[in-house]
Structures are given as structure tokens and as C-alpha cells.
Amino acid sequence: MLGAIGLALLGAPLVTLPTPAFGGDPTLIAIASDPARMRLYCLSTRCGDEEWRLALAPPPAKAPDIDPLDLPPLRNVQLPGSQRRVGGIRAPATSRESRAMYSNDYRIGTRYGVQALRDGPTQLGLTFGAGYRLAPLHDDGINRPGAVFRGELNLGQKLGDRARWSQRVQVESGHGDTFVKQSVRLDVDVWRNWKLETDFAIRHDSNGGGGSESAESSIELIRRF
């Protein structure tokens, strides 16, 4: 019976008592007639009945005890760089042979190249192919358009740790004419970023039996930055 009465009191609306008289001042009478204006402002961020909710809430469930022996074993993870050596990895070897089709403003054709020597101090390479010359006197070759055969020989030799000698021979033949260019080059590392380059070239053109020949050379001191 007492419990029912208590619940009725808790759920009943708030009863406002009669306001006393404050003379005949209209302002005092208006304030006294509205008790809500006489209440202090609540600046709390918590609800007034939160302590009741916390008291009535069930306690949090307790985490079950875990036996360390029941845990799965840790995996043995190897971090990058922890291995002493990496085996089975090899860089792919580059082919000594090359095939290509090309076209430019003055010649179209195909060529085949092979590097006979390339890993030691001596390098030897050979390239040959056939094509069609579109315009003469735009690069090294015969002085007329038409079908041509081209060949090239490259020879290089390392001289010590600072010098390298190389020779290049180019041949183009077609329509009874033959063009040959021989160039010799010597590069020397003088001091750190300084390099001495020398180049000498001879051109020979049969030109229908008449023939012509020219030569040129250059010496350059180059500074690398």
C-alpha cells in the first residue's frame, strides 16, 4: 500500500502553492503569480535524474578470465631487411641482338644489330639493314633517293681507368654509289668533372665514279656540373 502511494507521489504533477500577496505593486504581483520566473537557471550539463538512472542501471558485465595457455601461438613474422641474404633473385640478361624498323624525314627501313663483345674492356658491335632513302644530303649517305643498303661497325677499347678509344665505320650503298664514313674518338677524364674529347672523321663518296672526300676534327674540354 505504501509503495503504491509513493509511486503516485512521484508520478503526480508538481503542485504550485498559492502565491502570497505583495501589496499592490503590479510588477511584484506578476512575478509572484509565475513561480517559474523565481527559479534559478541551471547551468549543469547533466540531467537532474541521472543519479537515479545510474543507480537503477545493471552493473556492467565482467570480462571473462582468459588463460594465457589457451591463446593461439604467435606467428614468426620476418620483417623486411631482417634476412641475411636473398637467394634466387637474378637480374634478367639483356639480349645481344636487336631488331628494329625505323622511319624519319630522310630514310625508312629495317636494321639488325649484334654485340659480339660488350662485357670486357673491348666492345665490338655490328649493325646492317636495308631501306629506302627519301631525300639526299640530309644525313650521311649517298647523294640520291632510292633503295639502299647500310652497315655499321663500332669498336671500343678502354685504356686504363681514365681513357677510352672508339672507332665507327658507316657504309651506305645504292644505285652504284658508295658512301663511307670513318670516325675516331678519344675521351680522357682529366680531373674529376673535366673531360677532354677529341673527334676525327673522314667521309668518302664515290658519286658515280667521280668521288669526293672530306675530313673534319674537333677537340673539346668539357666541364660537367
Side-chain angles (χ1 to χ4, degrees), residues 8-26:
L9 292 176
L10 292 176
L14 185 64
V15 178
T16 304
L17 297 177
T19 59
F22 292 93
D25 192 347

PDB file of all heavy atoms in Angstrom, residues 8-26:
ATOM      1  N   ALA A   8       2.597   7.040  -6.685  1.00  0.00           N
ATOM      2  CA  ALA A   8       1.630   8.069  -7.064  1.00  0.00           C
ATOM      3  C   ALA A   8       2.175   9.444  -6.811  1.00  0.00           C
ATOM      4  O   ALA A   8       1.972  10.379  -7.586  1.00  0.00           O
ATOM      5  CB  ALA A   8       0.316   7.857  -6.294  1.00  0.00           C
ATOM      6  N   LEU A   9       2.930   9.589  -5.714  1.00  0.00           N
ATOM      7  CA  LEU A   9       3.515  10.893  -5.417  1.00  0.00           C
ATOM      8  C   LEU A   9       4.612  11.252  -6.413  1.00  0.00           C
ATOM      9  O   LEU A   9       4.762  12.400  -6.814  1.00  0.00           O
ATOM     10  CB  LEU A   9       4.063  10.906  -3.979  1.00  0.00           C
ATOM     11  CG  LEU A   9       2.997  10.832  -2.856  1.00  0.00           C
ATOM     12  CD1 LEU A   9       3.663  10.746  -1.491  1.00  0.00           C
ATOM     13  CD2 LEU A   9       2.063  12.049  -2.896  1.00  0.00           C
ATOM     14  N   LEU A  10       5.411  10.247  -6.801  1.00  0.00           N
ATOM     15  CA  LEU A  10       6.479  10.510  -7.755  1.00  0.00           C
ATOM     16  C   LEU A  10       5.932  10.869  -9.125  1.00  0.00           C
ATOM     17  O   LEU A  10       6.496  11.689  -9.852  1.00  0.00           O
ATOM     18  CB  LEU A  10       7.414   9.305  -7.865  1.00  0.00           C
ATOM     19  CG  LEU A  10       8.263   9.018  -6.612  1.00  0.00           C
ATOM     20  CD1 LEU A  10       9.076   7.746  -6.797  1.00  0.00           C
ATOM     21  CD2 LEU A  10       9.200  10.187  -6.338  1.00  0.00           C
ATOM     22  N   GLY A  11       4.869  10.222  -9.547  1.00  0.00           N
ATOM     23  CA  GLY A  11       4.326  10.468 -10.876  1.00  0.00           C
ATOM     24  C   GLY A  11       3.348  11.617 -10.930  1.00  0.00           C
ATOM     25  O   GLY A  11       2.936  12.018 -12.010  1.00  0.00           O
ATOM     26  N   ALA A  12       2.955  12.170  -9.801  1.00  0.00           N
ATOM     27  CA  ALA A  12       1.974  13.251  -9.819  1.00  0.00           C
ATOM     28  C   ALA A  12       2.610  14.521 -10.290  1.00  0.00           C
ATOM     29  O   ALA A  12       3.811  14.728 -10.121  1.00  0.00           O
ATOM     30  CB  ALA A  12       1.385  13.433  -8.412  1.00  0.00           C
ATOM     31  N   PRO A  13       1.891  15.433 -10.924  1.00  0.00           N
ATOM     32  CA  PRO A  13       2.439  16.719 -11.369  1.00  0.00           C
ATOM     33  C   PRO A  13       2.810  17.589 -10.192  1.00  0.00           C
ATOM     34  O   PRO A  13       2.333  17.408  -9.073  1.00  0.00           O
ATOM     35  CB  PRO A  13       1.308  17.320 -12.204  1.00  0.00           C
ATOM     36  CG  PRO A  13       0.089  16.679 -11.673  1.00  0.00           C
ATOM     37  CD  PRO A  13       0.448  15.281 -11.263  1.00  0.00           C
ATOM     38  N   LEU A  14       3.700  18.504 -10.452  1.00  0.00           N
ATOM     39  CA  LEU A  14       4.181  19.418  -9.424  1.00  0.00           C
ATOM     40  C   LEU A  14       3.075  20.410  -9.066  1.00  0.00           C
ATOM     41  O   LEU A  14       2.493  21.035  -9.949  1.00  0.00           O
ATOM     42  CB  LEU A  14       5.432  20.166  -9.909  1.00  0.00           C
ATOM     43  CG  LEU A  14       6.104  21.064  -8.891  1.00  0.00           C
ATOM     44  CD1 LEU A  14       6.645  20.228  -7.735  1.00  0.00           C
ATOM     45  CD2 LEU A  14       7.232  21.852  -9.533  1.00  0.00           C
ATOM     46  N   VAL A  15       2.803  20.498  -7.792  1.00  0.00           N
ATOM     47  CA  VAL A  15       1.721  21.362  -7.318  1.00  0.00           C
ATOM     48  C   VAL A  15       2.292  22.718  -6.973  1.00  0.00           C
ATOM     49  O   VAL A  15       3.323  22.801  -6.264  1.00  0.00           O
ATOM     50  CB  VAL A  15       1.026  20.753  -6.078  1.00  0.00           C
ATOM     51  CG1 VAL A  15      -0.070  21.690  -5.558  1.00  0.00           C
ATOM     52  CG2 VAL A  15       0.447  19.403  -6.432  1.00  0.00           C
ATOM     53  N   THR A  16       1.670  23.780  -7.441  1.00  0.00           N
ATOM     54  CA  THR A  16       2.101  25.149  -7.176  1.00  0.00           C
ATOM     55  C   THR A  16       1.275  25.716  -6.027  1.00  0.00           C
ATOM     56  O   THR A  16       0.041  25.699  -6.062  1.00  0.00           O
ATOM     57  CB  THR A  16       1.918  26.011  -8.412  1.00  0.00           C
ATOM     58  OG1 THR A  16       2.617  25.403  -9.487  1.00  0.00           O
ATOM     59  CG2 THR A  16       2.467  27.423  -8.181  1.00  0.00           C
ATOM     60  N   LEU A  17       1.970  26.155  -5.018  1.00  0.00           N
ATOM     61  CA  LEU A  17       1.310  26.702  -3.840  1.00  0.00           C
ATOM     62  C   LEU A  17       0.781  28.093  -4.158  1.00  0.00           C
ATOM     63  O   LEU A  17       1.303  28.770  -5.047  1.00  0.00           O
ATOM     64  CB  LEU A  17       2.296  26.749  -2.662  1.00  0.00           C
ATOM     65  CG  LEU A  17       2.805  25.372  -2.196  1.00  0.00           C
ATOM     66  CD1 LEU A  17       3.828  25.553  -1.072  1.00  0.00           C
ATOM     67  CD2 LEU A  17       1.652  24.493  -1.724  1.00  0.00           C
ATOM     68  N   PRO A  18      -0.198  28.496  -3.423  1.00  0.00           N
ATOM     69  CA  PRO A  18      -0.735  29.848  -3.657  1.00  0.00           C
ATOM     70  C   PRO A  18       0.329  30.881  -3.382  1.00  0.00           C
ATOM     71  O   PRO A  18       1.139  30.741  -2.464  1.00  0.00           O
ATOM     72  CB  PRO A  18      -1.904  29.950  -2.661  1.00  0.00           C
ATOM     73  CG  PRO A  18      -2.198  28.574  -2.235  1.00  0.00           C
ATOM     74  CD  PRO A  18      -0.981  27.765  -2.409  1.00  0.00           C
ATOM     75  N   THR A  19       0.350  31.909  -4.163  1.00  0.00           N
ATOM     76  CA  THR A  19       1.347  32.964  -4.021  1.00  0.00           C
ATOM     77  C   THR A  19       0.891  33.969  -3.005  1.00  0.00           C
ATOM     78  O   THR A  19      -0.284  34.338  -2.959  1.00  0.00           O
ATOM     79  CB  THR A  19       1.561  33.639  -5.370  1.00  0.00           C
ATOM     80  OG1 THR A  19       0.328  34.169  -5.813  1.00  0.00           O
ATOM     81  CG2 THR A  19       2.083  32.659  -6.403  1.00  0.00           C
ATOM     82  N   PRO A  20       1.806  34.385  -2.158  1.00  0.00           N
ATOM     83  CA  PRO A  20       1.419  35.400  -1.173  1.00  0.00           C
ATOM     84  C   PRO A  20       1.231  36.739  -1.837  1.00  0.00           C
ATOM     85  O   PRO A  20       1.685  36.987  -2.942  1.00  0.00           O
ATOM     86  CB  PRO A  20       2.618  35.396  -0.215  1.00  0.00           C
ATOM     87  CG  PRO A  20       3.756  34.935  -1.030  1.00  0.00           C
ATOM     88  CD  PRO A  20       3.188  33.965  -2.006  1.00  0.00           C
ATOM     89  N   ALA A  21       0.542  37.595  -1.107  1.00  0.00           N
ATOM     90  CA  ALA A  21       0.265  38.934  -1.629  1.00  0.00           C
ATOM     91  C   ALA A  21       1.426  39.844  -1.335  1.00  0.00           C
ATOM     92  O   ALA A  21       2.022  39.783  -0.257  1.00  0.00           O
ATOM     93  CB  ALA A  21      -1.023  39.489  -0.989  1.00  0.00           C
ATOM     94  N   PHE A  22       1.750  40.676  -2.297  1.00  0.00           N
ATOM     95  CA  PHE A  22       2.863  41.609  -2.154  1.00  0.00           C
ATOM     96  C   PHE A  22       2.373  43.049  -2.317  1.00  0.00           C
ATOM     97  O   PHE A  22       2.867  43.798  -3.134  1.00  0.00           O
ATOM     98  CB  PHE A  22       3.957  41.325  -3.198  1.00  0.00           C
ATOM     99  CG  PHE A  22       4.655  40.027  -2.981  1.00  0.00           C
ATOM    100  CD1 PHE A  22       4.215  38.893  -3.629  1.00  0.00           C
ATOM    101  CD2 PHE A  22       5.729  39.922  -2.100  1.00  0.00           C
ATOM    102  CE1 PHE A  22       4.843  37.690  -3.425  1.00  0.00           C
ATOM    103  CE2 PHE A  22       6.355  38.706  -1.898  1.00  0.00           C
ATOM    104  CZ  PHE A  22       5.923  37.605  -2.558  1.00  0.00           C
ATOM    105  N   GLY A  23       1.388  43.370  -1.612  1.00  0.00           N
ATOM    106  CA  GLY A  23       0.913  44.738  -1.723  1.00  0.00           C
ATOM    107  C   GLY A  23       0.185  44.961  -3.030  1.00  0.00           C
ATOM    108  O   GLY A  23      -0.377  44.051  -3.627  1.00  0.00           O
ATOM    109  N   GLY A  24       0.257  46.163  -3.502  1.00  0.00           N
ATOM    110  CA  GLY A  24      -0.449  46.477  -4.736  1.00  0.00           C
ATOM    111  C   GLY A  24       0.457  46.756  -5.898  1.00  0.00           C
ATOM    112  O   GLY A  24       0.008  47.307  -6.893  1.00  0.00           O
ATOM    113  N   ASP A  25       1.750  46.418  -5.783  1.00  0.00           N
ATOM    114  CA  ASP A  25       2.701  46.674  -6.873  1.00  0.00           C
ATOM    115  C   ASP A  25       2.443  45.688  -8.009  1.00  0.00           C
ATOM    116  O   ASP A  25       2.549  44.463  -7.816  1.00  0.00           O
ATOM    117  CB  ASP A  25       4.119  46.542  -6.371  1.00  0.00           C
ATOM    118  CG  ASP A  25       5.128  47.071  -7.387  1.00  0.00           C
ATOM    119  OD1 ASP A  25       4.719  47.296  -8.545  1.00  0.00           O
ATOM    120  OD2 ASP A  25       6.307  47.259  -7.029  1.00  0.00           O
ATOM    121  N   PRO A  26       2.085  46.171  -9.195  1.00  0.00           N
ATOM    122  CA  PRO A  26       1.790  45.229 -10.306  1.00  0.00           C
ATOM    123  C   PRO A  26       2.988  44.369 -10.686  1.00  0.00           C
ATOM    124  O   PRO A  26       2.829  43.206 -11.052  1.00  0.00           O
ATOM    125  CB  PRO A  26       1.376  46.152 -11.459  1.00  0.00           C
ATOM    126  CG  PRO A  26       1.007  47.427 -10.813  1.00  0.00           C
ATOM    127  CD  PRO A  26       1.842  47.573  -9.579  1.00  0.00           C
TER     128      PRO A  26
END
